Structures are given as C-alpha cells and as structure tokens.
C-alpha cells in the first residue's frame, strides 16, 4: 500500500503525521537526499558504529551542504520534530540517531581546507579524524584530536577531544578558533571568543545541544611527518611495576609524550610469541610527537618497565600512528564504554584494575588509564563548558564484545568496575565515553559540575523549543535497547 503519511516523533513528546506531499516537497528543496524507511539506503543510514544501536528514524536528511542543514533545521522546527545530529556516527550511545524522529546527517560533508600560512584548518561537520590528518599532514601540520581515524571530528570535539597531542596542546576544543553553527532558528552563526562568545563557550564541551556545527576552524601545529610509537607488551602479572613505572616516568616526561596504560589481551601479531597471544597483558602505549631524533631515547624507559613479552614500538608516520588502533574497533560489534577521572594510581588501584582485567567476560574488552598529567589544565576551567581539568588520570572502561547474548554480562562488568573505582575519584566523567547516557541528571552533574546551570541557560536561549536532542534536552529520547536497566 502506498504511504500517505509519515508518523514522526516530536521533541515535546507524542507524534505528528506528516503527509507525503509535505515530505516530498521538503525532499525537492534539498541538494542532498532524504531517506525514509521505503528508500534504498535507509538501512545503511540507520546504522552507526556501535552494533547495539538499533534505532529507526522516520526521516534521515543526508545534507550536501549548509543550505540543506538550514532547510532541515527549519523543517524540523516548523513541525516540532524530535531531532538528532549525525557527525561521524561513532558516539557509543548512538546519540546520532533518534527513534521515529528526524536525523540531520552530515556524513556527506567531510571536506577539510588547510591554510598552511595561517596554520588553520576549516573542517566540515561530518569529517572524520582521518580526513583531517590526511589534509593537514600534506603541510606537516596536525590538529589535536583522538586516536582512531574513523571517529567523527564533530562529536569528539564537542565534548572535549583527547588524543596523542593532549599533553602538548590540550583538548581539541582548546585548539578551536571558531565554529559555524546553524542554530534552531535556522540562522547560520559564527561563534568565537569575540562573536557569540556565550555560544562558543557552550559548544566547547557542551555537545550537540546548541545547533548543527557545519564547520570547525582549528589552529594547527607542526607534527611529524615521523613520530615514535611505544608499544611494549608486558604480562598482566607485571602490571603493578609497569603502571607504577609509567606513572612515575610520565610525571617528568616531556609534554610531547602522551601515554595510556592499557589493560588488554596480547594481540594476534606475528611479533607476539604464539603462546602469549590472547593472554591478558598490560601495554605502556605511547606516542612521542616531538623532534624525531629524540623520540627513541624518550620512549626507551617505557620499554624497560618490566620484561616485555613483545615490543611493537617503532617509528611511523603521524597518519599511521593515528590509525594504529583502527583495526581493534570494527564497525557493528557491541560496545559499552564508561569513564571516570582518577586522583591516584597506587598499588591498590592497579591491583583492582588487574583483577577486573582477569574477570572480563569478553577478551576484547580493555581498561585504559589515560596519563593526563597537567594536560587539560592548559586552559582555565571557566574558559569553556568543559569543566574537569584537574585530574591526573582518566579511566576509559571499554566493554567490547560480539555476542548479543552477552550484553548483560559485559555491561555489568563495566558498571561494576566504575563503582569500585569511585573511592579513588573525586568527581567527573568524560562525556565522550558516556555509557548509554543512562541516569541523565547524574551524568550531567558529573560531567559539568558548576557549569551546568550556565549551559542550561544558554540552551534555553538558543534552542527555546528544545529541538536538538542532546543530553541537555528534555526530549523523550530512546535509550539504546539493551534489555537491562
Ligand atoms: C573507536 C572510537 C575511538 C575513540 N577514541 C577517542 C579518543 O581517542 N579520544 C576521545 O576524546 N574520544 C574518543 N572516542 C569517543 C568519541 O569522541 C565519541 O564517540 C564521539 O561522540 C564521536 O563523534 P562522532 O561525530 O563520530 O559521533 P556521532 O555519533 O555522529 O555524534 C555524536 C553526537 O555529537 C553531536 N554532533 C555530531 N556531529 C555534530 C555536528 N556537526 N554539529 C552538532 N552536533 C554534532 C550530536 O549530538 C551527536 O549525537 C572514540 C570513539 C570511538 C568509537
């Protein structure tokens, strides 16, 4: 039977019926494409990186440029539709999609333009980290972003952005000079320190609650072309020595060295003796992006923290370093990631992390200790919405698995670990590793602390009808269906 109306969820709750003529005339105004459940490409368009996410938007607007974004925002506002924004589609909670609502999908807007003289890059709102690295490295430059090249620049940046350049150049948001954003009234605005400064403050850490960012302008830094990766792999039994040694070395290491203590399994790599492959290990994973000649010497102590079973440390191009972990995060597997900041990393904490590594229900899950040092303190806490800048370590808890039957065991593992680590944490969570954004109010408090009231006031001003369904919205979002609370 031919479709006559589309039932679409509204941001205020309930549903509205849009007749086919209305939807077709909206489609005709776009340079990009509008997909509904009847269209080829719809199934692919409703998939995101996390295979747990199974949402069915009513309308997906694949924008070809800013004009399409403006048209989509206007259409959504005029009909009061529940609206999500998709950048790289890598948010662990699947927030790029809304069930039965409208998705403003920027995956076709990935251009990056570099001005090498001014060391600036203008990056479209759907670009991936790999797009940015590829373009900037042509000029020996880089922007501080994250560790896996398929991740979207937009989502990563809007909640902070941590990567290999963190200790030297701060968070991704600390390197933003301006953004172009289509706000809920359909206007394209520029926001920077000197223009729409409140909006610029909110966007740097406040997520996709304030409008659709069509372009980010980043300040760039000379990096590479060659950097040193440190990848010594130690048996889990040596975790206490290795992590304590890493902690002590990082307290005095140059800012160009960024590391994570990774509790994981030995990879199926030829360099790893067969008997150790798949065994629980701890890795002093690092990247030194300073003067190349100094790199081998600077990472050397990381390779002697114990007796490695294998050592994959090597020089490589910056672009390769940015892809070093790519294969470990395949599209469509199941993921549940959480975070919390740690104030201490002593024997008690390390032993607890080793214990939870042993009892992971899935061998591909990991625990990452991000050695932040004073990196995030570079900017003052009041400079942007990103609040937590004084913790020396951050814990990234990554439950990764393939079997739907194991949802509950894996999610429980991550949640139990978070609870056990709370005594070692004053406060704060990192919203780029947000679980499934359950317990919304507690999550917001933990992430924004004293900044939450100001964020809410800015949201009420720039998005009075609560169009954009970010964490600050009151809209009835559907959580990821896990079957457990
Ligand atoms: C494999 C992997 C590795 C990761 N590594 C790191 C890392 O090293 N460092 C780190 O800090 N984080 C990391 N993350 C976390 C990552 O930053 C978040 O998952 C982030 O949300 C991904 O952004 P995205 O654009 O791909 O997401 P999407 O799912 O597309 O978007 C997430 C949310 O961002 C908002 N949004 C997206 N695009 C726009 C836009 N153009 N305008 C306005 N709002 C928008 C929307 O609210 C959307 O719901 C990693 C995630 C994955 C999956």
């Amino acid at each position: 039977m031919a479709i006559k109306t589309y039932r679409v969820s509204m941001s205020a709750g309930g549903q509205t019926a849009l007749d086919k003529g209305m939807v077709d005339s909206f489609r005709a105004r776009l340079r990009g494409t509008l997909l509904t459940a009847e269209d080829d490409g719809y199934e692919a368009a409703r998939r995101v990186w996390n295979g747990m996410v199974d949402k069915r938007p009513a309308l997906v607007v694949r924008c070809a440029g800013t004009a399409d974004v403006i048209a989509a925002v206007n259409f959504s506002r005029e009909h009061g539709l529940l609206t999500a924004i998709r950048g790289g589609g890598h948010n662990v909670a699947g927030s790029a999609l809304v069930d039965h609502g409208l998705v403003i999908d920027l995956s076709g807007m990935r251009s990056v333009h570099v001005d090498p003289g001014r060391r600036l890059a203008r990056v479209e709102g759907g670009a991936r980290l790999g797009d940015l690295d590829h373009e900037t490295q042509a000029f020996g430059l880089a922007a501080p972003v994250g560790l896996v090249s398929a991740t979207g620049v937009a989502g990563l940046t809007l909640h902070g952005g941590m990567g290999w350049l963190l200790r030297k150049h701060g968070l991704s948001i600390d390197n933003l000079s301006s953004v172009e954003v289509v706000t809920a009234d359909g206007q394209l605005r520029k926001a920077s320190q000197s223009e729409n400064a409140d909006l610029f403050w909110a966007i740097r850490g406040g997520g996709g609650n304030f409008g659709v960012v069509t372009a980010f302008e980043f300040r760039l830094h000379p990096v590479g072309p060659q950097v040193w990766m440190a990848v010594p792999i130690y048996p889990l039994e040596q975790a206490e020595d290795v992590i304590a040694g890493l902690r002590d070395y990082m307290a005095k290491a140059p800012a160009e060295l960024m590391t994570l203590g990774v509790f994981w399994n030995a990879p199926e790599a030829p360099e790893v003796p067969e008997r150790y492959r798949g065994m629980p290990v701890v890795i002093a994973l690092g990247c030194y992006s300073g003067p190349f000649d100094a790199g081998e010497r600077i990472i050397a102590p990381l390779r002697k923290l114990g007796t490695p079973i294998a050592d994959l440390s090597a020089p490589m191009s910056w672009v390769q370093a940015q892809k070093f972990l790519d294969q470990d995060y395949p599209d469509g597997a199941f993921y549940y990631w959480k975070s919390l900041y740690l104030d201490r990393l002593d024997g008690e904490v390390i032993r607890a992390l080793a214990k939870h590594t042993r009892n992971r229900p899935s061998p591909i899950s990991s625990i990452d200790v991000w050695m932040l040092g004073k990196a995030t303190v570079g900017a003052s806490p009041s400079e942007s919405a990103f609040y937590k800048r004084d913790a020396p370590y951050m814990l990234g808890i990554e439950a990764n698995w393939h079997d739907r039957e194991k949802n509950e065991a894996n999610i429980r593992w991550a949640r139990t670990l978070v609870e056990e680590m709370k005594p070692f944490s004053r406060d704060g969570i990192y919203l780029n590793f947000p679980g499934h954004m359950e317990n919304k109010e507690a999550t917001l408090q933990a992430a924004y602390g004293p900044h939450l009231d100001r964020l809410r006031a800015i949201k009420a001003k720039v998005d009075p009808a609560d169009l954009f369904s970010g964490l600050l919205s009151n809209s009835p979002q559907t959580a990821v269906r896990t079957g457990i609370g």
Side-chain angles (χ1 to χ4, degrees):
M1 203 174 61
I3 296 266
K4 292 215 183 72
T5 57
Y6 295 91
R7 296 205 67 79
V8 188
S9 292
M10 302 182 75
S11 58
Q15 289 201 325
T16 184
L18 300 179
D19 72 54
K20 187 170 180 311
M22 211 182 257
V23 170
D24 286 346
S25 96
F26 171 44
R27 177 181 274 132
R29 294 204 299 276
L30 299 169
R31 185 161 64 94
T33 44
L34 173 62
L35 299 169
T36 66
E38 298 79 54
D39 295 311
D40 287 347
Y42 172 81
E43 281 303 317
R46 75 176 192 90
R47 293 282 161 220
V48 288
W49 164 79
N50 188 351
M52 288 202 84
V53 177
D54 181 23
K55 297 185 189 173
R56 300 190 68 84
L59 306 168
V60 178
V61 187
R62 285 240 154 123
C63 300
T66 301
D68 285 352
V69 174
I70 292 172
V73 167
N74 286 337
F75 184 82
S76 224
R77 186 193 59 252
E78 281 155 16
H79 298 285
L81 307 182
L82 181 61
T83 305
I85 311 167
R86 179 182 184 130
H90 272 57
N91 184 279
V92 181
S95 63
L97 303 177
V98 271
D99 250 338
H100 315 299
L102 179 142
V103 175
I104 301 178
D105 181 340
L106 274 69
S107 58
M109 293 174 59
R110 290 173 60 169
S111 80
V112 177
H113 175 79
V114 178
D115 180 340
R118 295 169 65 218
R119 289 193 181 163
L120 292 174
R122 182 182 183 280
V123 184
E124 276 195 306
R128 308 296 183 95
L129 307 192
D131 303 329
L132 178 56
D133 292 326
H134 180 79
E135 294 297 329
T136 52
Q137 274 295 280
F139 307 99
L141 298 169
V145 283
L147 309 182
V148 175
S149 73
T151 315
V153 172
L156 176 130
T157 301
L158 292 170
H159 277 141
M162 298 191 187
W164 292 128
L165 302 180
L166 177 70
R167 284 165 46 95
K168 177 72 177 168
H169 297 296
L171 299 164
S172 303
I173 46 168
D174 300 334
N175 296 274
L176 269 185
S177 51
S178 66
V179 293
E180 290 165 36
V181 52
V182 177
T183 43
D185 55 5
Q187 298 297 306
L188 176 67
R189 296 171 203 281
K190 193 158 181 175
S192 67
Q193 295 284 12
S194 56
E195 217 175 327
N196 295 308
D198 248 17
L199 181 59
F200 191 54
W201 179 88
I203 274 177
R204 286 174 299 149
N209 291 285
F210 308 96
V212 184
V213 180
T214 50
F216 297 84
E217 189 181 71
F218 283 97
R219 288 185 290 272
L220 305 175
H221 309 280
V223 172
Q226 293 284 105
V227 298
W228 274 90
M229 284 297 287
V231 199
I233 303 171
Y234 300 95
L236 188 64
E237 295 68 44
Q238 295 177 24
E240 217 171 318
D241 285 344
V242 170
I243 298 294
L246 179 61
R247 174 199 65 203
D248 294 345
Y249 183 59
M250 291 309 289
K252 50 185 196 290
E256 290 88 350
L257 179 66
M258 172 67 202
T259 60
L260 287 77
V262 179
F263 292 76
W264 211 357
N265 272 9
E268 299 288 326
E271 297 88 340
V272 178
E274 223 170 306
R275 67 182 185 283
Y276 290 122
R277 290 181 201 163
M279 300 283 287
V281 293
V282 62
I283 307 172
L285 183 67
C287 178
Y288 176 77
S289 54
F292 182 74
D293 292 344
E296 192 165 15
R297 175 176 55 78
I298 290 193
I299 68 161
L302 303 181
R303 308 170 75 178
K304 293 185 265 182
L305 297 169
T307 311
I309 56 170
D311 188 350
L312 314 188
S313 305
M316 61 185 75
S317 73
W318 172 247
V319 170
Q320 281 173 315
Q322 287 286 91
K323 293 181 175 168
F324 189 77
L325 300 172
D326 280 11
Q327 67 197 7
D328 299 315
Y329 300 102
D331 277 8
F334 298 165
Y335 299 98
Y336 180 83
W337 294 3
K338 289 191 80 83
S339 67
L340 95 167
Y341 291 98
L342 287 180
D343 294 305
R344 31 186 276 226
L345 188 56
D346 52 22
E348 193 182 354
V349 175
I350 301 168
R351 283 191 295 278
L353 297 178
K355 178 188 90 182
H356 285 278
T357 304
R358 273 185 216 99
N359 67 22
R360 287 165 302 160
S362 165
I364 58 170
S365 295
S366 71
I367 305 170
D368 301 338
V369 186
W370 292 64
M371 303 285 173
L372 305 177
K374 292 191 165 48
T376 51
V377 186
S380 102
S382 59
E383 195 168 295
S384 69
F386 191 96
Y387 142 69
K388 187 66 189 169
R389 288 185 180 265
D390 61 353
Y393 318 103
M394 185 184 71
L395 209 53
I397 298 158
E398 301 186 357
N400 311 326
W401 68 103
H402 290 291
D403 181 353
R404 198 176 285 279
E405 301 301 306
K406 308 259 171 72
N407 287 356
E408 177 156 0
N410 283 286
I411 292 174
R412 289 218 190 288
W413 170 77
R415 288 181 179 168
T416 305
L417 176 47
V418 167
E419 289 307 314
E420 281 196 25
M421 285 296 121
K422 278 186 178 165
F424 309 110
S425 172
R426 241 175 317 146
D427 61 356
I429 59 166
Y430 180 46
L431 272 184
N432 271 336
F433 306 138
H436 287 158
M437 294 193 181
E438 58 273 40
N439 308 327
K440 196 159 100 169
E441 191 56 32
T443 301
L444 283 168
Q445 290 288 351
Y448 294 122
H451 291 177
L452 186 54
D453 289 347
R454 184 173 171 195
L455 273 169
R456 284 196 159 126
I458 298 171
K459 169 84 172 165
K461 201 165 142 204
V462 297
D463 184 12
D466 200 16
L467 187 67
F468 300 111
S469 63
L471 254 186
L472 288 166
S473 157
N474 295 315
S475 64
Q477 289 179 72
T478 321
V480 180
R481 281 185 278 267
T482 58
I484 65 167

